[in-house]
Amino acid sequence: MQKGYILSLESDAWLFHADLLVDKAHVVMLEERGIISSEDAAAILNGLAKIAARGRDFVERELPAYEDVHTAVESVLIREIGEEVGGRMHTGRSRNDEVATCIRIAVRDELLGLAEEVNKLRRALLKRAAENVETVLPGYTHLQHAQPTTLAHHLLAHADAFARDFARLEDAYGRVNACPLGAAAFASTGFPIDRERTAELLGFDAVLENSMDAVSTRDFVVETVSCYANLGTNLSRLAEEVILWSSAEFGFVRLPADYATGSSIMPQKRNPDYAELVRARAGTVFGCLVAVLSICKALPYAYNRDLQEVTPHLLRAAKTTAASVAVVRGVVAGQEFREEEMRRQAEVDFTTATELADTLVRETGVPFRTAHKIVASLASAERGRPSLRKIDEFATCVAGKRLSELGLTEEKVKEALEIASNIEKREVKGGPAKKEVLRMLQARRSDLEVDERSRVAKEVKVKRRLEELEREVEKKRIMP
Ligand code: ARG
């Protein structure tokens, strides 16, 4: 016998709390509908309270002896209060709808918790951005110096990505928080159960209607883990920048002590291990997503035991993602930015070339493509700041024109080559100019408040409903 093969202890421990909620809501509803007597409901609810009180002890001692958490709770209940009464708890339901309901309850909590973490990260990014509206940064494309920008503009870019992650999590929540309970094995039940009532008691926003769909689908898991994977990608990109920026080659960042590690041999080391693991664990989460998709793919309806294998991947992805968000927030909040180094690098490699070309267009009316050719030939031949005389030389060569004769002045050239004026000119919507960055900062702050309020409202709604469930349970626990 290989009984251990069919267990999934880790995710069953994760579902323990949810399983007790589902049991309680189901028993309350069975009693309300007259499917079981008030006496039996009271005895079952008292038995469940004893199991709940055992907490970790139950999980550690009892769980491993049974096929899964649902069987463990029911079996121990029957052991304690006898089958004549305890054997009525599972009336009108199946482990198939039970487990699907438990997973949705557990993942709903994970989603709300993660969304809170994401919002804290957004807040940390907005704070660091506000401190760095004037901090000049070389912007990169292909990891080569491209154009000057500001650190605030850069950090706001990451904050916007995490705002979309929040929106995705919230959207997923809407589809997660629907209740499969009452679908039973897949064909529902002939008992006059009330699916709306259990859904309400458990804090769900809706009943997942078609009973076959309700037990068969794990698309909410695919969707949730997809959100994690997307978020993981965004986290890994920020982490990668921390890794690069904290290197001697960049020297833009000093890692916070709590998020840097030493070396067992090299005494001088301050390694970005935390950021590296954020980068790596995005990969772990992608693995979970591929596992979930692969397990669900081509399963015939309705329930198959394969679905049990999905849950540990969901759990791993949820915990991994939440931990990574918290780490990235710590790094963002605590890292020390080296502004002088950023400013120094912002000048390197002719980052003002685009603005110079734009200036040629504005001042002389040459087409942008011609201006591009002139500045490109200058950039590849010249080191240092080009003068008006040099520009004329190259323009004559490339375009047969002397731009000073067409209105280009020494002053305009000088302005084009100034980092500050490069940034300030880029004041179109979403650009790095101070005015625009301040506007975005303000807008993002208020978006964040709206998002956090909407998240808290969901949390409060669930909490209230579960308190209502507890009140019903307490009423019914008193033997009539
Ligand atoms: N632990 C199982 C799961 O996660 C519970 C459902 C078992 N149902 C069954 N028909 N064998 O899916």
Side-chain angles (χ1 to χ4, degrees), residues 12 67-68 70 95-96 99 218 303 305 307-308 311:
D12 275 341
E67 200 177 305
D68 57 28
H70 325 291
R95 278 186 298 162
N96 298 352
V99 69
R218 291 294 183 274
Y303 179 86
R305 191 62 176 251
L307 293 179
Q308 174 175 288
T311 319

